[in-house]
């Protein structure tokens, strides 16, 4: 009996988790406009996209985009802090109307939520000393390159590196960057976020050699919220063309919105 | 109940074996060079030349009172700032030699000081020259006296060398970490590493016992 009940609970829980029982609650644009507030889910533990300022208020790239989105909709923004694992359930259960939560656009997620056009992106690339001439993976041969052990950039570099590349694996981003800054290696596999953080201190000492992979992030709404999605897409389109996203990106990541985000659909 | 799956470990035994070989090589070189540094340090400390003694005191105290992790970071990331850049493996060796040299200096110094004055005078009375006195009357019995502490310091050095993976040097621990990053079989991998380190320590300990029997088993009254 106990076993049966446990089995039932497990089944129910997994059914819930897979969204089989609870249907997604669509957000109606009219409801948002009449309420005068839009509830926006946002990460606060993912710098520099989502952080908390010294007063404990959500801040960062996502917060600026969220506020701009609310302005565009002509309503107040009510920012709801979410976490990586619970952000999609928050959206599907109607606790937030939209997610501006650095949600990477993937096939699996696109089956559960509706994505807007990309508004941000993270790219992994090989960076290095401006004096080193490397333009593609073949150029890595004979070079020492630092990566963070077991990271996306580790598998990215390991995947393309030709014979004779010396891949030096460090335990965290900080140590790998330290190896680059101290001159122990001339190249590093890193994300644009990490490089923007050290860009302020190093100026033009390092530049990007070639891209490894990139992931775009979209604003997400519940399936069926078509009017809202159209409005969000119009917002993203306008923010891209009038330079607003460039400005926000420049503020938080030290460079205008990358081209792979602008061109991705 | 955790299901053990040692297949990833078996598939990469060559990787681990190579890592173990590098750990042995690194440790052996550090022991030999570190022994040299220790003897020189101990001789300098007991020489009675004051400035030399102070210099060695500073070296020993600084190294023995700071964490090895900081020392190796300093050597690998700090020295390039003054134009001294070396490979991770060389930096690891240098850090280990400097570290074990400081501990060894103190150990051997205590051995030298354990030699009674009368024994040295007896050597002089027998007409031995200063080099002979140092070799047969001072350093050999001194090493014999402190042999167990010195060799356990050396085994500790071999275990400490597992830290060098932080500067991306290749050793057994870093081979394990790379394998772990690929397979996520953490428990199996670190269990295997534990066994390998234990066997290595046992092998070193046995080798030290044999060296002891060859070099330090002459008759002694004590």
């Amino acid at each position: 009996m106990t076993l049966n009940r446990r089995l039932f609970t497990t089944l129910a829980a997994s059914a819930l988790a897979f969204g089989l029982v609870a249907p997604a609650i669509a957000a109606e644009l009219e409801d948002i406009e009449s309420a005068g507030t839009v509830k926006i889910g946002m990460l606060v533990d993912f710098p520099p996209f989502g952080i908390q300022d010294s007063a404990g208020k959500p801040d960062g790239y996502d917060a600026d985009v969220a506020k701009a989105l609310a302005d565009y909709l002509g309503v107040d923004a009510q920012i709801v802090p979410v976490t990586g694992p619970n952000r999609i359930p928050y959206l599907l259960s109607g606790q937030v109307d939209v997610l501006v939560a650095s949600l990477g656009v993937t096939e699996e997620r696109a089956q559960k939520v509706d994505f807007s056009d990309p508004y941000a992106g993270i790219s992994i690339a090989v960076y290095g000393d401006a004096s080193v001439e490397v333009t593609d993976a073949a150029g890595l041969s004979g070079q020492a390159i630092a990566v963070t052990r077991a990271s996306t950039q580790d598998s990215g570099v390991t995947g393309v590196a030709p014979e004779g590349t010396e891949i030096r694996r460090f335990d965290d981003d900080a140590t790998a960057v330290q190896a680059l800054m101290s001159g122990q290696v001339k190249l590093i596999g890193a994300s644009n976020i990490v490089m923007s953080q050290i860009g302020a201190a190093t100026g033009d000492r390092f530049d990007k050699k070639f891209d490894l992979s990139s992931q775009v992030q979209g604003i997400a709404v519940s399936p069926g919220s078509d009017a809202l999605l159209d409005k969000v897409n119009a917002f993203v389109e306008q923010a891209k063309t009038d330079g607003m996203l460039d400005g926000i990106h420049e503020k938080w990541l030290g460079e205008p919105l990358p081209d792979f985000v602008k061109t991705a659909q | 109940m955790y299901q053990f799956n040692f297949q990833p470990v078996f598939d990469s035994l060559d990787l681990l074996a190579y890592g173990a070989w590098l750990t042995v090589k690194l440790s052996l070189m550090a022991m030999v060079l570190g022994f040299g540094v220790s003897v020189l340090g101990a001789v300098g400390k007991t020489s009675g030349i004051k400035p030399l003694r102070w210099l060695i005191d500073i070296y020993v105290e600084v190294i023995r009172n700071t964490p090895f992790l900081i020392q190796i970071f300093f050597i690998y990331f700090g020295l390039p700032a003054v134009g001294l850049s070396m490979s991770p493996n060389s930096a690891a060796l240098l850090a280990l030699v400097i570290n074990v040299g400081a501990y060894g200096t103190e150990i051997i110094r205590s051995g030298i000081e354990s030699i009674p004055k009368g024994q040295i005078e007896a050597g002089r009375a027998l007409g031995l020259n200063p080099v002979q006195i140092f070799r047969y009357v001072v350093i050999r019995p001194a090493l014999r006296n402190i042999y167990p502490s010195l060799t356990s310091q050396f085994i500790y050095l071999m275990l400490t060398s597992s830290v060098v993976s932080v500067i991306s040097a290749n050793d057994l621990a870093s081979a394990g970490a790379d394998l772990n990053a690929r397979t996520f079989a953490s428990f199996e991998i670190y269990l295997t590493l534990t066994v390998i380190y234990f066997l290595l320590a046992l092998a070193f300990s046995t080798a030290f016992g044999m060296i002891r029997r060859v070099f330090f088993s002459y008759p002694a009254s004590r």
Side-chain angles (χ1 to χ4, degrees):
Chain A
M1 185 61 196
T2 321
L3 190 70
N4 279 340
R5 190 188 296 159
R6 193 180 294 164
L7 190 67
F8 173 76
T9 321
T10 313
L11 282 177
S14 39
L16 263 176
F18 285 98
L20 295 175
V21 173
I25 297 173
E28 298 296 339
L29 184 58
E30 288 165 20
D31 293 347
I32 292 170
E33 279 168 347
S34 62
T37 31
V38 57
K39 288 172 284 178
I40 302 177
M42 198 195 114
L43 298 177
V44 289
D45 58 354
F46 190 55
F49 289 97
I51 55 172
Q52 280 179 319
D53 65 10
S54 48
K57 286 208 181 114
D59 204 355
Y61 183 90
D62 285 351
D64 284 355
V65 173
K67 283 173 210 151
L69 172 63
D71 285 347
Y72 183 83
L73 297 174
V75 294
D76 291 332
Q78 183 197 338
I79 291 183
V80 180
V82 296
T83 66
N86 77 13
R87 52 194 165 173
I88 290 180
Y90 257 68
L91 180 70
L92 297 183
S93 61
Q95 296 184 64
V96 296
D97 301 315
V98 261
L99 280 182
V100 187
S102 300
L103 194 62
V105 179
T106 63
E107 286 281 332
E108 295 84 7
R109 285 173 181 160
Q111 288 170 6
K112 312 201 61 187
V113 303
D114 284 354
F115 278 110
S116 74
D117 292 335
Y119 76 103
I122 296 173
S123 71
I124 306 287
V126 170
Y127 295 83
D129 237 81
S131 62
V132 181
E133 281 190 30
V134 173
T135 50
D136 55 9
L140 291 177
S141 182
Q143 301 272 4
I145 177 167
V147 293
T148 306
R149 183 173 276 130
S151 61
T152 324
Q153 49 271 34
D154 186 353
S155 37
V157 169
T158 309
V160 299
E163 195 85 1
T165 311
E166 194 192 331
I167 301 175
R168 296 202 194 154
R169 295 184 175 85
F170 295 89
D171 289 340
D172 50 32
D173 285 344
T175 327
V177 166
Q178 191 58 50
L180 178 73
M181 306 248 282
S182 66
Q184 286 288 8
V185 293
K186 295 275 184 251
L187 297 168
I188 187 173
S191 70
N192 57 339
I193 301 171
V194 167
M195 291 313 286
S196 78
Q197 281 163 349
I198 68 169
T202 55
D204 53 4
R205 198 181 137 196
F206 306 114
D207 60 8
K208 188 196 276 192
K209 303 304 180 191
F210 61 92
D211 283 308
L212 287 169
S213 65
S214 60
Q215 160 118 66
V216 291
Q217 294 149 224
I219 297 174
V221 299
S222 229
S225 324
D226 294 339
L228 180 60
L229 182 63
D230 287 346
K231 202 86 175 170
V232 170
N233 268 333
F235 160 73
V236 172
E237 177 67 35
Q238 187 193 319
K240 275 180 185 169
T241 40
D242 71 5
M244 183 207 281
L245 277 182
D246 282 332
I248 301 177
H249 205 276
E250 185 86 50
K251 173 179 165 191
W252 292 102
L253 290 122
E255 55 174 14
L257 194 66
D259 284 339
F260 73 88
V261 180
K262 284 181 185 162
T263 51
Q265 282 308 306
Chain B
M1 179 64 194
Y2 186 79
Q3 292 291 313
F4 281 95
N5 176 16
F6 279 93
Q7 201 52 47
V9 176
F10 291 132
D11 289 344
S12 304
L13 269 186
D14 53 336
L15 195 82
L16 291 177
Y18 185 62
W21 159 238
L22 290 172
T23 285
V24 169
K25 208 165 80 171
L26 186 65
S27 309
L28 264 180
M29 285 163 78
M31 284 173 197
V32 171
L33 295 174
F35 178 71
V37 171
S38 305
V39 171
L40 289 179
V43 169
K45 245 191 122 165
T46 52
S47 67
I49 306 168
K50 282 242 168 95
L52 186 63
R53 234 178 67 194
W54 291 334
L55 272 180
I56 296 170
D57 274 343
I58 291 172
Y59 159 62
V60 168
E61 292 308 319
V62 165
I63 297 301
R64 293 213 313 171
N65 292 299
T66 51
F68 178 69
L69 188 63
I70 308 294
Q71 293 164 12
I72 196 167
F73 268 131
F74 187 82
I75 287 173
Y76 185 67
F77 294 121
L79 287 189
V82 292
L84 261 174
S85 188
M86 56 187 92
S87 77
N89 288 358
S90 314
L93 178 62
L94 181 64
L96 285 171
V97 168
I98 289 177
N99 187 270
V100 80
Y103 286 92
T105 295
E106 273 301 286
I107 294 172
I108 296 180
R109 177 199 56 78
S110 72
I112 291 178
E113 286 178 353
S114 74
I115 306 297
K117 274 247 162 65
Q119 192 166 314
I120 298 168
E121 282 159 8
R124 232 175 267 149
L126 285 170
L128 298 178
N129 66 35
V131 174
Q132 284 173 321
I133 289 178
F134 179 73
R135 199 170 150 194
Y136 298 111
V137 181
V138 177
I139 198 72
R140 199 165 169 195
L143 287 178
R144 180 173 139 130
N145 285 350
I146 50 84
Y147 193 77
S149 13
L150 190 64
T151 51
S152 61
Q153 188 66 47
F154 281 170
I155 289 172
Y156 187 67
L157 155 84
M158 193 271 292
L159 298 177
T160 306
S161 77
S162 63
V163 171
V164 303
S165 65
V166 296
I167 57 160
S168 77
N170 304 310
D171 73 325
L172 179 55
S174 78
D178 287 344
L179 190 56
N180 187 29
R182 278 212 318 264
T183 63
F184 302 105
S186 315
F187 206 40
E188 289 85 346
I189 289 164
Y190 287 110
L191 210 59
T192 311
L193 288 201
T194 308
V195 172
I196 298 178
Y197 272 112
F198 182 75
L199 291 178
L200 286 181
L202 217 58
F204 269 110
S205 174
T206 312
F208 288 139
M210 273 150 60
I211 293 172
R212 182 196 187 113
R213 272 202 292 284
V214 172
F215 287 101
F216 300 112
S217 65
Y218 56 86
S221 59
R222 276 197 282 172

